Amino acid sequence: MKIEIRAQDLLSYEGDALIVNLFEGVERPGGSTGAVDRALGGSITAAIRRREFTGKLHERLLLHTVGQLLVARVLVIGLGKQEEFTLDRVRSASAEAMRHLRGVGAKTVGSIVHGAGIGGLDADQAACAVTEGALLGLYRFDKYKKPDDNGKKVVRTLTLLERDKARVATMKKGVRRGRILAEAVSFARDLVNEPANTLTPSELAVRAKKMASGCGLSIKILERADMKKLGMGALLGVAQGSQEPPKLIEVSYKGRKGKGTGPRLGLVGKGVTFDSGGISIKPSEGMEAMKGDMAGGAAVLAAIKGIAELKLPVDVTVLVPATENLPSGTAQHPGDIVKAMNGKTIEVINTDAEGRLILADALCYACERGLTHLVDVATLTGACIIALGSVRTGAFTNNPELMRQVKQASEAACEKIWELPMDDEYGEQIKSDCADMKNIGGKKAGPITGAKLLANFVGKTPWVHLDIAGTAQAEKDSGYQVKGATGAMVRTLICLAMGFGGVVKS
Ligand code: BES
Ligand code: ZN
Ligand code: ZN
């Protein structure tokens, strides 16, 4: 979809539909919505008076014009209460409006930049959010099945209309950034939605290579032999049950201009392209969702794509340990003891707790590469879904300062996270009789014991672990989320990199 911004009055826009908005409880619309209302002979005011439309968040009123405007339809989208207005509501209102208009067959749509007028938001930020919302709300994974409309209903152009010429240049910047952010999220969504018979570890490496060459990034793929040489026994243990060779994908971006060594951000993502549980096999119901067990890997690859396209002044390296977790005659057994790259041994009590095993080696490798700050993203524990549902990503750290920055980034991106504790006592739960640790810690505090295991492989390096088990996939369309992969944490990681160069001391 093309997104353009024009210094033009709303009323003179010629196309299939026009989007305006209304805050909840407003009786007489002002600004652009008021102007459109007057052009329509007061139809919006009439609908408000009859209580057919109240401006509640995501509420929609579709009006058909009869010669009063140069568009066939006007869609009024509810923004909710003005005192509760946020940038995230701009994103979701934009998404809901665009999905509605695609549904009625609109191909050319004009819109006001929600929030930039009466909403009082920064023009650049509002334009960015409208763009993100439109692109993410219209996202579809329709590679294997034509949508119900046979793929005919496609919005070709979205024109953002702004009367004040002086604001157009700033808004253009916002649109450009919004597109980069949304395309990064869509890249992650595509990878997560792709089934495991197509997206094997090798295919994930191929997609990462294509992305890297498209963005001018350097990429290295470590093969099984390299992992053996490096002593990555934990990663190899998980991979040994599958016919598909494991890959450790390493993508680097150098954006820092200064000389000498500075902070180097490492983003590590779990890349299990299918998690059957291994010998500790999962129940079959719902197992198909485990094609998305590489959502963390997808998020970090998508983030570095966005970071490179935005040319952020930071150095970033992405690591994705990619493998399948399958049962077979060669699969690891419960009770096996594996040795990670840093020499620590892990007793594998449950082969389904495989994410922490592959991340153990990837985190060791990240430290060895000299990365100074680490953030890992993983669909690590079902227990995190029990604790936080699909609303918030679980967050864990060994370093309050890095956590502060990750929280700040998550707030800027409007992607909710929630910090969980890491007290020493939780570490007791993963003590093993015969190895340095065991890979599960019992029923209690599952997300925390998972994080505690990971902490053994980062040493003193500042590190944040994000458990996206509950947030990586959505059950229904809502706002700019669509059913299926969400691309959770992609925008947060990009926002983290935006603040990183300047803020973090090396
Ligand atoms: N990939 C799963 C976690 C998961 C579950 C993600 C549901 C998304 C939705 C992970 O590898 C796993 O199986 N974890 C186990 C750990 C347990 C054996 C300690 C779990 O959560 O059941
Ligand atoms: Zn598992
Ligand atoms: Zn898993």
Side-chain angles (χ1 to χ4, degrees):
M1 181 176 62
K2 186 177 166 198
I3 303 182
E4 52 179 23
I5 176 137
R6 266 197 235 153
Q8 186 184 327
D9 190 84
L10 213 58
L11 302 181
S12 65
Y13 173 76
E14 208 179 326
D16 292 334
L18 202 51
I19 303 172
V20 291
N21 62 36
L22 195 78
F23 281 117
E24 189 176 339
V26 172
E27 301 276 322
R28 247 175 260 114
S32 308
T33 308
V36 169
D37 185 40
R38 282 191 294 282
L40 294 179
S43 323
I44 301 175
T45 315
I48 297 169
R49 216 181 305 117
R50 292 184 190 126
R51 315 303 295 162
E52 274 171 35
F53 185 71
T54 61
K56 278 206 178 69
L57 186 63
H58 298 173
E59 194 183 355
R60 296 175 295 264
L61 173 69
L62 187 66
L63 298 167
H64 291 265
T65 64
V66 271
Q68 306 103 318
L69 285 167
L70 303 171
V71 289
R73 314 166 186 88
V74 168
L75 180 76
V76 193
I77 181 84
L79 296 180
K81 294 199 175 77
Q82 182 156 12
E83 60 271 24
E84 291 169 7
F85 192 54
T86 60
L87 214 47
D88 211 42
R89 291 200 166 179
V90 173
R91 260 180 221 113
S92 61
S94 169
E96 291 279 347
M98 291 301 284
R99 257 206 310 276
H100 192 102
L101 288 175
R102 177 177 65 189
V104 301
K107 293 198 175 350
T108 49
V109 175
S111 178
I112 58 174
V113 179
H114 311 295
I118 298 171
L121 298 175
D122 180 77
D124 158 275
Q125 297 230 48
C128 176
V130 168
T131 304
E132 283 174 61
L135 291 169
L136 293 175
L138 291 176
Y139 171 89
R140 281 198 281 216
F141 184 70
D142 49 14
K143 208 176 142 180
Y144 298 99
K145 178 182 184 269
K146 287 210 173 114
D148 295 344
D149 57 29
N150 236 348
K152 282 194 189 115
K153 290 180 177 171
V154 176
V155 183
R156 280 200 312 263
T157 314
L158 168 63
T159 306
L160 302 180
L161 302 154
E162 167 59 43
R163 231 179 340 180
D164 183 357
K165 270 196 188 132
R167 302 218 292 180
V168 168
T170 0
M171 284 187 171
K172 271 193 179 149
K173 277 189 203 152
V175 169
R176 186 183 161 268
R177 197 170 68 253
R179 178 177 285 283
I180 290 174
L181 290 164
E183 284 176 355
V185 174
S186 301
F187 175 72
R189 287 181 181 180
D190 278 345
L191 292 173
V192 175
N193 286 329
E194 194 69 64
N197 59 339
T198 308
L199 199 89
T200 57
S202 303
E203 176 62 16
L204 185 59
V206 167
R207 304 262 183 120
K209 269 188 196 158
K210 274 193 198 142
M211 180 278 289
S213 69
C215 300
L217 298 167
S218 51
I219 181 162
K220 184 169 151 190
I221 311 288
L222 280 79
E223 306 291 341
R224 200 193 300 266
D226 303 309
M227 298 172 197
K228 276 189 186 146
K229 260 183 236 153
L230 288 162
M232 297 181 159
L235 171 53
L236 287 165
V238 174
Q240 77 188 34
S242 168
Q243 303 272 1
E244 291 292 336
K247 306 276 168 181
L248 177 56
I249 304 165
E250 179 177 2
V251 189
S252 293
Y253 166 71
K254 276 195 76 62
R256 211 176 58 88
K257 300 285 180 295
K259 284 197 186 108
T261 53
R264 292 178 64 198
L265 180 61
L267 305 175
V268 183
K270 172 176 172 181
V272 175
T273 59
F274 190 77
D275 180 14
S276 71
I279 295 295
S280 314
I281 198 160
K282 288 180 181 294
S284 50
E285 202 187 315
M287 203 200 269
E288 68 281 357
M290 285 301 116
K291 70 172 183 177
D293 209 20
M294 31 54 70
V300 296
L301 288 168
I304 202 166
K305 174 182 181 326
I307 291 166
E309 287 174 354
L310 289 168
K311 297 191 168 58
L312 299 182
V314 284
D315 289 348
V316 182
T317 291
V318 152
L319 290 165
V320 182
T323 177
E324 295 190 314
N325 185 26
L326 293 180
S328 74
T330 61
Q332 69 180 346
H333 326 87
D336 284 1
I337 297 175
V338 294
K339 190 190 270 186
M341 191 180 160
N342 66 351
K344 291 195 183 177
T345 55
I346 313 168
E347 185 186 6
V348 181
I349 302 290
N350 188 318
T351 63
D352 196 11
E354 84 298 340
R356 59 200 75 182
L357 297 173
I358 68 168
L359 287 171
D361 277 325
L363 290 168
C364 288
Y365 183 74
C367 293
E368 193 120 308
R369 302 295 280 161
L371 301 175
T372 58
H373 298 77
L374 300 177
V375 178
D376 82 69
V377 188
T379 45
L380 205 74
T381 67
C384 196
I385 315 176
I386 305 295
L388 301 175
S390 48
V391 179
R392 285 184 189 255
T393 292
F396 311 78
T397 195
N398 63 357
N399 184 286
E401 169 55 19
L402 185 60
M403 178 60 88
R404 191 191 60 74
Q405 291 183 55
V406 172
K407 279 182 183 163
Q408 204 172 46
S410 94
E411 272 162 31
C414 303
E415 293 192 286
K416 293 174 180 165
I417 67 172
W418 192 255
E419 186 177 0
L420 290 167
M422 288 281 273
D423 301 278
D424 291 343
E425 291 92 321
Y426 292 110
E428 302 286 323
Q429 284 175 238
I430 54 168
K431 280 199 170 152
S432 160
D433 296 332
C434 49
D436 294 329
M437 68 201 86
K438 57 182 180 185
N439 79 330
I440 60 167
K443 281 207 181 96
K444 293 177 177 175
I448 304 176
T449 50
K452 280 305 234 186
L453 185 134
L454 297 179
N456 281 286
F457 302 92
V458 294
K460 288 203 163 57
T461 310
W463 154 80
V464 167
H465 158 60
L466 297 170
D467 191 335
I468 57 167
T471 49
Q473 303 203 44
E475 284 164 6
K476 57 172 177 27
D477 292 0
S478 170
Y480 56 91
Q481 306 284 36
V482 295
K483 189 177 177 187
T486 59
M489 291 297 114
V490 173
R491 290 180 304 110
T492 292
L493 294 175
I494 299 174
C495 286
L496 176 70
M498 282 177 187
F500 193 74
V503 185
V504 171
K505 289 170 223 99
S506 53

